[in-house]
Each structure stands twice: as structure tokens, then as C-alpha cells.
Amino acid sequence: MKRDVVNLEPGVESTPPIAPVTEDPRYIGARLPRHGIERLTQGQGQYVDDIELPRLAHVVYWRSPVAHMRIKGIDDRIARSMPGVLMVATGQDLAKVCKPWVAVLGHLTGMKSAPQYPLAVERACWQGEPVVAVVAETRAQAEDALQHLVVDWEELPLTVEMERALASDEPVIHPELGDNVCFSRRLDVGEVDRVFAEADVVAETTFEFGRHTGVTLEPRSQIAHWQPAEQRLMVYHSCQAPHMMQDLYARQFDLPAHAVRVICKDVGGSFGVKVHAYPDDFATVALSMLLGRPVKFVADRLESFTSDIHARHHRVKGRIAVNRDGEILGFEIDDLTGIGPYSMFPRTSAIEGNQVVNLVGGPYRHQHYRAQLHVVFQNKTPTCQYRGVGHPIACAVTEGLVDLAAQRIGMDPLEIRARNVMADDAYPATGASGIKLEVLSHEACLRKLREMMNYDALRAEQAALRKQGIWRGIGLATVIELTNPSAAFYGIGGARIASQDGATVRLNPEGHVTVLVGVGEQGQGTEAIYRQIAADAVGVDIDQVRVITGDTDVTPYGGGTWASRGAGIGGEAVLLAGQALRGNILKTAAVILNREAGQLGLHRGQVVDAVTGEALLPLSEVGRIAYFRTDTLPQGFTPELMVTRHYAQRDYPFIFTNGVQASYVEVDPDTGFVTLLKHWAVEDCGRVLNPMLVDEQMRGAIVQGIGGALYEECLYDEQGQMLNANMADYLVPMAAEMPDIEVAHVMTPTRSSRLGAKGAGEAGTAGAPAAVMNAINDALAPFGAHVHSQPITPEKILRALGKVK
């Protein structure tokens, strides 16, 4: 299937001439600052902890200090008598009002997990699991009372290391499940044994990925407000999926969904950390229901490290088969991942490993692939979906193996990729794992990258510097990223997480437009692009558009913010609703002007003659007559100036986007220190709606990916204690360490929607760890050393060089 590939150069102010979706495309594709940024930078945002309600109480949680324990007794007599204390609650107390949950998905055959409660009942299974709740008039009073709780516990045998979880003599965390296996999967496609036996070269290694976590600016927080008189629950939440949480609260507390309202105001970052339902979410609601008053929970930074989900904890044994001419014949992987003692609710903790199986080898034409996955329980903080969800692991494994193969056959890393990526005119296509690919552009992205980074000159510079004892490396990574998911992601597995989203667009009497949409703002700029889309779709100035998100009582039902779906799903709903409203405005104007609707257009807030462009009627006049002077309109005609439309992507299980990244680093072989010199990314996210926002999303995601590659890791001892659960010891990437990041685009709009947008929120995170890892190994190549264990620390580099043991 042939199609045009359109390049968007850095700094271009608007989209190139691809198929228009509006009559006056002023804003879609323009570089516009993010809406609301002045309010936030002036400190006028409203986060959960800024909200004060009458009779507001505060809860803090006593969390298990050990990784596995039996709760023998709780003495709360002194704590209950402390000033301001309203309630001290245990797991048995809250189990009376909140049902337990089991986080499995039906389409992940054989998956299992144990029932979980808001507070631990009988046993606590990880350091950080909430055990006792203390509610008081103030946070300080609750914290003071917490110090006077006396919990008697007995430590239980541990399963900490995922490599030991499958051993026959290892303690089984949940005996009723039979073993420590949450989920297993095996995929065998083609003739793997044959191609590996016949290949000229087989390269293999083991990849390790340290578990790490999202460090959001705003910690997880909520205010639960049960209103007994109305039998209604209102929850202010810092989360990514308000309607999902509405449904979960309704089901776990036996409430009708319409009796639950979830409101998300400003959300200070999420990254997937806030797309899950945590035990303390349900505990806070239960406490509000028991007390009949609002209760606020705000995690402090220390408890966040062991109560927020972790991610990326994998050990992958991988190998690749290639011929001397650079043809990739096949891949084989064995992935072991540890997820903590429970699968997270409701999305489940097996999704990340499942994604690794689906995505390894994804960009390449090979048709021989074998994968084995074991997802195991362990007495550590639960892991689940975090920005990229398996993509960084799959990309690092794939691209690390491709680099090893290129080195073994003496081929340039860029050349081997160019020879093996799926051709840009070969789509639609199916990857070896069975993934359906609509339209990608790896060939164009590789050409663009070579030009951007001046690849040949950079290689010459590298060779010259090596003669001077300066060891620099160039690392490449091709990327595929699933976006715009259909119901195939969760719906078919029984999880009530919407794959569709809706938007309501309303013309107000003064001629302004209000947009209500289910996908919320998490700091990524969705409100900005919705204003752009609505302004173009309706035909008004962007400063006449207001966007409202994050309120289940107001916005149309939708899935929320995850899987880079904000532009492709939410944006499409806004477009469809805006275009429908435009049509209704013209019908109303036609009646007012006594003309045919087809003779009219809508241009910059004015109803105009479609042929001459003459302004005939301002939108403010349409609104005035439609709302206040319907007596002047014909009998039988009612203006419809509020339109709702929904969109769900159904053509493919996912719409894949793609790109390629490159990293340039310098390694000091005496210290093992890595200096990041430059990073490049060419991304194809379909139609680019706002180049400024997309570029910054890419840069932010790349920085987050670099964090996992070089710095971030949740370190545990043999007793399941996290050793660096604080901001002094847990390393995050800082501005001083980051390189310049240059971003460019290739655009291949998806045909599954009118807008043509795919997604870009996670692509930077997906490719950056692989590019940095390959760059470090390229720098170490003259020493015959490799490091495939992330984060790649100076100690690991020195060990690979044989300088430390």
C-alpha cells in the first residue's frame, strides 16, 4: 500500500498540506503554548491537597514495616484517646463495608491472584501494605496518634527474589493458589529451531531491568465525601481514569454508579502510577462512609516509594539469528518478571510482561519467533503499568540483540536496521507475534535520523577520538508503540475500562464554545489540543473555547488518560462533536437568514456566504436568537446547539505508531562514568496536532526513559526491605545530566479516524533506554565489554571491564 510520507521539520509552525479535517485549519498543527500554563506557573493550580471541605478529616495509614507478616494483634487504646482522633480502623472493620477484589483478566488465560482488601486482614504481604487507618481532625493529629499504635506481628517466610519464586522449596505466598505463578504464556511462531540451526550467526545475552517507580510532582491523593442524606459518594481524586474509579467504587461498595461522582481537577503528573486502584483508595472511601464526613488522604513522599506501584522488573534471556548479509531470521526470548504479592486492580500486573512478548522483534520483517513468559509473585511492592508498559523492555531486548548481531557480522548498526525494518510500502502488515500494523514509516524515519545527526560525520569523529583515548558510542533504537487501543486491551478480559471516549461541544449564547471531554489533563497538554481541534472544527477563535475535563457528573463517559490515547481517541471525539455542532449552527443560521444551509459557511466566529465569504451573522446573534428568541423561529424547528459524539477505534486492536532514536555518549573506562552528549528522536505519531507539545512530550518521555537506563532502581535487601525509599537515595534524572534532545517528525496519519492522530506520550520512554544502552556498549566495544543490566551504573561498567569484582 503506497502513501505519501510528509516530514515536519523542527520549528515548522503548522501542518504540511495533508488531507484537511476542517474548512479553516488555523490551529490544528500550529505551535501554540499549552493552555492554562500561566495559572499553573503562578501557583494558582488546584490540586487535591488544596481542597478544603467543611468537617474535613484526615487519614494516615500504619503500613507494614516488614515484607511478610501475620497480624497477631492491634492495641489502639492510646491512639483512640489522642486529641482529635475520630477513628482507628483495621482490615476487619473496613471489610464490613468494602468487598474484596481479585485482579485478573479473562483473556490472559490461566492468570490468577488472591483476594485483596482495603487494609490487610490477617497478613500483610509487602513492606508498605496498609494495615491500620487513623483518622483525625488534622493531619498532624493523625500522625501523632499513629505513633501510639501497637501492632503485634509475627514475621512469615519470604519470597523476595523472582528467580527463586518458582523453586519447589520456596514459600508460596498464597497457599490457596498452589504456587507463586501469576501468569504464564508461550508463543511459538514459524520454525525457530530450524532458522537458529541454519543461521550464520546466533547472538545471545541476558538482559536485566531493575524495578523503578514514577515520581510524580503531586503524590497520590484523594478526598472521599460520603453524604448520608443523599446516599451519594463524591471523590476528589488525582487520577487518570475518573469513570473507571466511579465504576470501581460503585461495585466495591454496592452503590449505583449514578450515586458516585469522581472529580479530577489539576493532576500533578501520573505516568501510569495513577491509573490503578490502590487499597488505600478504597480504605479512604470506606472511612468516609463509616464516619459520614469527608476524609482526605495525601501520600507523603516516603510512603509513596513503597505504596505506589513499581514497574520494569524483568530478566530476559534473548537470542537472535542472522545471516552474514545482515538478514534477521528470528528471535527467541525467555522473560521472567516479578510483580509483588498481588496483581493490581483492575488492569492487572500481567499486562507488562504480555506486552513484552507481543512487541519483541516488532519493527522487523522476520517471521520466526519464540517467547516464554513467567509472571511471578514476590513479597515486594506490587508492580503494574507505568509509562510505556513493556515497550522499554521489549525495545531494549530487540535493539540490544540487533546491535550484538551487527557487531558479530561486522555490519554498521544503522545499515542492519535499514535492511530489516518493514518496508514503508508494505502495510498493512502483521508482525511475527501476531500484532496488526496499519501503517508505519521506519524507512523514512531512519533516513531522517541519518540526516539529522549527520551520522557518517559522527562515526568519523568517534573513530578519531578513539585514537586519542576518548571512548564515545552511538546507540540506535527503532521503536513501535501501541496507541489508540480498542476494547481488545481490557474490555474483552472483563475489565470495565472504556475503550471509547466522548465529547460534548456546546455553543453558548454569547457565541463562545464549551467542550466537555472524558480524557483528563495530567500535565501533557490535552486541554490545549482539544481547544485547537474544537476551534477549527466549529470555526471560532481559540480564545473563545473553554475545555472542561475530569468530572463524571459532567463529561461524557470515557476511558480517561492512558496508552497515548488522548489525541487519537479523545481528540477524535472532540472533532466529531465540533463538526456536528458546526452543522447544527449552520442549520439554525439558515432558518434565521431564510437561506439554504448549503449556501452558508462558518468562518472565524461568523456565519458567512459559502461562495463570497461575506459575513452574514455573528455567532453571538445565532446564540441570542436560539436561546432567547425562539418565538422568532418557525414552528417545529428547535435549535440543537449542544452536541455529543463518541469515538472508539475499531479497525485494529491498537493503532501502532513508530520512530527511531539515537544517543551519543562518552564513557570514562577508569571511573565507569557515562556522559550523555546528544539525543535524537524521529517520531511518527500520525497527524501532529501541536508540534510544541509533541516535542516536549517526547523530550519528557526520553528523560524518563534515561532515568530507567542510568539512574532509577528500587533496591531491596534479602528481607524485602526497600533500601532507598527516599529522594536522597533514589536517583532521578536531573537537568544537569540531560543532553540536548533534538526531535523531528514523519507523519503518516492513521486512516482509522478523520483526525489521523495516533499518539506520542510514551514513545520517548520506549526507545530511550535501548538507545542509551546501545551507545554505552558501542563505546565499550573496543574493550570487548558489554553491559545489558539496567540501570547501567558505573559499578556495572567497571565490572564489565574487569576492573572491579
Side-chain angles (χ1 to χ4, degrees):
M1 180 176 67
K2 299 283 187 181
R3 83 255 186 239
D4 293 328
V5 178
V6 183
N7 292 330
L8 180 63
E9 305 291 346
V12 169
E13 292 299 318
S14 61
T15 55
I18 57 180
V21 293
T22 63
E23 295 178 16
D24 182 22
R26 287 185 292 162
Y27 299 113
I28 295 176
R31 300 179 66 88
L32 298 175
R34 182 178 141 198
H35 175 65
I37 196 67
E38 296 87 356
R39 177 177 62 86
L40 296 175
T41 53
Q42 292 171 17
Q44 297 178 24
Q46 188 174 42
Y47 302 93
V48 170
D49 204 29
D50 296 319
I51 299 171
E52 295 292 334
L53 300 177
R55 302 178 66 241
L56 181 65
H58 299 258
V59 61
V60 297
Y61 293 103
W62 189 93
R63 298 180 182 274
S64 175
V66 296
H68 199 192
M69 73 177 190
R70 178 176 289 108
I71 305 165
K72 297 177 67 176
I74 299 171
D75 185 349
D76 59 8
R77 288 172 296 176
I78 297 177
R80 287 178 182 273
S81 67
M82 295 285 288
V85 172
L86 302 169
M87 176 178 285
V88 178
T90 66
Q92 288 86 350
D93 297 326
L94 301 194
K96 296 174 183 177
V97 294
C98 179
K99 296 183 293 188
W101 58 90
V102 178
V104 297
L105 289 173
H107 64 300
L108 299 182
T109 305
M111 184 184 180
K112 59 183 187 281
S113 187
Q116 194 174 0
Y117 294 83
L119 297 178
V121 176
E122 296 183 355
R123 287 188 306 142
C125 295
W126 82 89
Q127 179 205 11
E129 182 172 2
V131 177
V132 187
V134 178
V135 189
E137 297 283 358
T138 70
R139 174 68 179 253
Q141 290 172 330
E143 294 278 7
D144 287 344
L146 192 73
Q147 309 307 312
H148 293 275
L149 280 174
V150 179
V151 180
D152 184 17
W153 76 79
E154 173 192 356
E155 289 199 53
L156 297 174
L158 296 171
T159 294
V160 175
E161 298 303 325
M162 62 186 184
E163 290 80 3
R164 290 281 306 156
L166 299 176
S168 59
D169 60 344
E170 193 73 0
V172 176
I173 297 174
H174 304 292
E176 68 273 22
L177 299 181
D179 55 31
N180 289 320
V181 179
C182 171
F183 175 65
S184 293
R185 181 186 174 192
R186 183 175 174 83
L187 181 67
D188 199 338
V189 179
E191 301 176 72
V192 175
D193 290 333
R194 179 184 63 80
V195 298
F196 272 88
E198 296 176 357
D200 293 328
V201 170
V202 174
E204 59 186 301
T205 193
T206 297
F207 299 86
E208 296 176 343
F209 302 88
R211 61 161 57 207
H212 50 281
T213 187
V215 183
T216 57
L217 288 176
E218 179 193 23
R220 288 189 304 107
S221 48
Q222 67 178 131
I223 297 173
H225 186 193
W226 173 248
Q227 299 159 309
E230 299 181 18
Q231 292 291 289
R232 183 165 169 79
L233 173 67
M234 182 166 64
V235 182
Y236 293 94
H237 218 314
S238 179
C239 77
Q240 297 171 236
H243 285 102
M244 180 195 82
M245 294 307 303
Q246 176 194 43
D247 176 76
L248 293 179
Y249 289 142
R251 286 194 286 141
Q252 296 310 119
F253 292 95
D254 284 326
L255 298 170
H258 65 77
V260 180
R261 181 183 184 186
V262 177
I263 303 171
C264 294
K265 293 184 176 290
D266 292 315
V267 176
S270 51
F271 314 132
V273 168
K274 298 176 182 176
V275 81
H276 312 290
Y278 292 80
D280 45 44
D281 289 333
F282 296 112
T284 304
V285 169
L287 293 165
S288 178
M289 296 180 77
L290 290 171
L291 287 167
R293 62 190 291 177
V295 177
K296 177 187 285 189
F297 164 64
V298 178
D300 67 34
R301 189 60 71 184
L302 292 177
E303 70 181 318
S304 291
F305 275 106
T306 56
S307 64
D308 290 0
I309 59 106
H310 297 173
R312 311 273 207 262
H313 193 193
H314 291 253
R315 182 233 63 202
V316 184
K317 296 178 180 177
R319 60 178 188 153
I320 185 174
V322 296
N323 282 341
R324 291 288 178 192
D325 61 1
E327 179 188 7
I328 296 175
L329 303 175
F331 288 87
E332 183 174 16
I333 67 162
D334 183 341
D335 182 9
L336 175 66
T337 178
I339 63 162
Y342 298 98
S343 170
M344 281 294 291
F345 191 50
R347 295 168 186 265
T348 83
S349 302
I351 287 290
E352 183 175 80
N354 198 56
Q355 289 292 80
V356 173
V357 171
N358 290 337
L359 297 172
V360 163
Y364 300 108
R365 292 194 300 267
H366 72 102
Q367 290 299 311
H368 306 280
Y369 176 46
R370 180 184 293 149
Q372 180 170 274
L373 168 69
H374 290 297
V375 180
V376 298
F377 297 117
Q378 54 184 172
N379 292 114
K380 291 182 179 179
T381 298
T383 73
C384 208
Q385 286 92 313
Y386 170 61
R387 194 175 192 172
V389 192
H391 291 70
I393 292 97
C395 184
V397 170
T398 301
E399 298 302 298
L401 289 173
V402 169
D403 261 26
L404 281 177
Q407 188 179 81
R408 289 282 301 276
I409 63 176
M411 182 173 286
D412 180 82
L414 187 57
E415 176 62 24
I416 194 172
R417 287 170 170 83
R419 290 190 183 192
N420 286 279
V421 292
M422 295 181 184
D424 289 358
D425 61 358
Y427 295 95
T430 301
S433 69
I435 53 175
K436 306 294 183 183
L437 304 168
E438 178 207 14
V439 56
L440 302 178
S441 58
H442 276 114
E443 290 180 324
C445 288
L446 285 168
R447 289 194 298 269
K448 184 69 178 175
L449 181 77
R450 179 186 282 274
E451 175 189 342
M452 276 176 64
M453 62 189 298
N454 199 354
Y455 183 78
D456 295 332
L458 204 63
R459 283 293 183 196
E461 176 183 282
Q462 177 192 39
L465 289 172
R466 281 182 176 176
K467 295 176 181 178
Q468 303 173 36
I470 298 173
W471 309 103
R472 291 187 175 181
I474 302 168
L476 303 171
T478 56
V479 180
I480 57 172
E481 180 206 357
L482 66 84
T483 71
N484 298 11
S486 73
F489 208 117
Y490 292 118
I492 63 171
R496 294 165 60 89
I497 302 168
S499 57
Q500 60 86 51
D501 248 283
T504 297
V505 183
R506 180 182 72 221
L507 180 70
N508 299 316
E510 71 278 10
H512 293 184
V513 171
T514 298
V515 179
L516 303 98
V517 62
V519 179
E521 175 64 64
Q522 313 285 304
Q524 77 276 46
T526 50
E527 289 184 5
I529 63 170
Y530 295 156
R531 293 177 79 230
Q532 292 174 258
I533 295 167
D536 277 0
V538 177
V540 296
D541 292 333
I542 197 168
D543 60 6
Q544 294 181 322
V545 179
R546 179 184 177 222
V547 175
I548 298 173
T549 66
D551 187 338
T552 59
D553 263 13
V554 174
T555 61
Y557 202 96
T561 303
W562 50 277
S564 301
R565 66 191 298 279
I569 304 293
E572 185 71 10
V574 173
L575 177 70
L576 296 176
Q579 290 178 332
L581 177 62
R582 181 192 188 97
N584 287 0
I585 291 171
L586 293 178
K587 290 178 185 177
T588 303
V591 170
I592 296 171
L593 296 169
N594 196 25
R595 297 179 64 165
E596 294 293 326
Q599 299 174 355
L600 303 176
L602 221 172
H603 188 72
R604 307 192 179 187
Q606 294 277 344
V607 177
V608 300
D609 186 287
V611 176
T612 67
E614 177 190 359
L616 303 174
L617 196 66
L619 279 183
S620 57
E621 184 65 6
V622 175
R624 185 189 71 83
I625 295 172
Y627 288 112
F628 308 127
R629 291 304 310 272
T630 51
D631 60 297
T632 65
L633 301 176
Q635 287 288 336
F637 177 80
T638 301
E640 297 287 349
L641 300 182
M642 182 171 177
V643 176
T644 299
R645 291 291 184 271
H646 290 81
Y647 174 72
Q649 191 279 122
R650 297 177 180 174
D651 295 343
Y652 293 83
F654 318 98
I655 295 299
F656 276 90
T657 184
N658 70 277
V660 59
Q661 294 186 36
S663 180
Y664 191 37
V665 307
E666 183 174 316
V667 178
D668 184 340
D670 294 322
T671 64
F673 191 78
V674 176
T675 302
L676 300 162
L677 302 174
K678 188 72 180 286
H679 199 99
W680 299 266
V682 179
E683 174 66 5
D684 183 347
C685 58
R687 183 190 292 264
V688 175
L689 305 179
N690 185 322
M692 180 184 295
L693 290 179
V694 171
D695 288 358
E696 294 315 307
Q697 276 285 292
M698 287 295 298
R699 290 189 176 97
I702 287 167
V703 169
Q704 206 156 14
I706 291 172
L710 294 181
Y711 307 112
E712 298 185 54
E713 184 173 16
C714 300
L715 298 171
Y716 282 82
D717 67 14
E718 60 185 15
Q719 297 302 314
Q721 296 283 309
M722 188 173 168
L723 300 174
N724 58 336
N726 59 77
M727 291 301 293
D729 298 323
Y730 183 91
L731 302 181
V732 295
M734 305 291 283
E737 290 89 29
M738 291 304 100
D740 287 339
I741 301 172
E742 187 175 341
V743 181
H745 298 271
V746 170
M747 283 202 284
T748 53
T750 173
R751 292 190 174 93
S752 70
S753 67
R754 296 185 190 180
L755 193 61
K758 297 179 182 177
E762 298 171 296
T765 305
V772 171
M773 177 186 70
N774 284 345
I776 292 170
N777 286 327
D778 187 47
L780 296 176
F783 301 94
H786 295 93
V787 182
H788 292 111
S789 175
Q790 297 184 23
I792 302 174
T793 62
E795 180 184 2
K796 291 177 183 178
I797 290 173
L798 293 176
R799 189 180 299 122
L801 291 168
K803 297 189 175 184
V804 299
K805 294 183 179 180

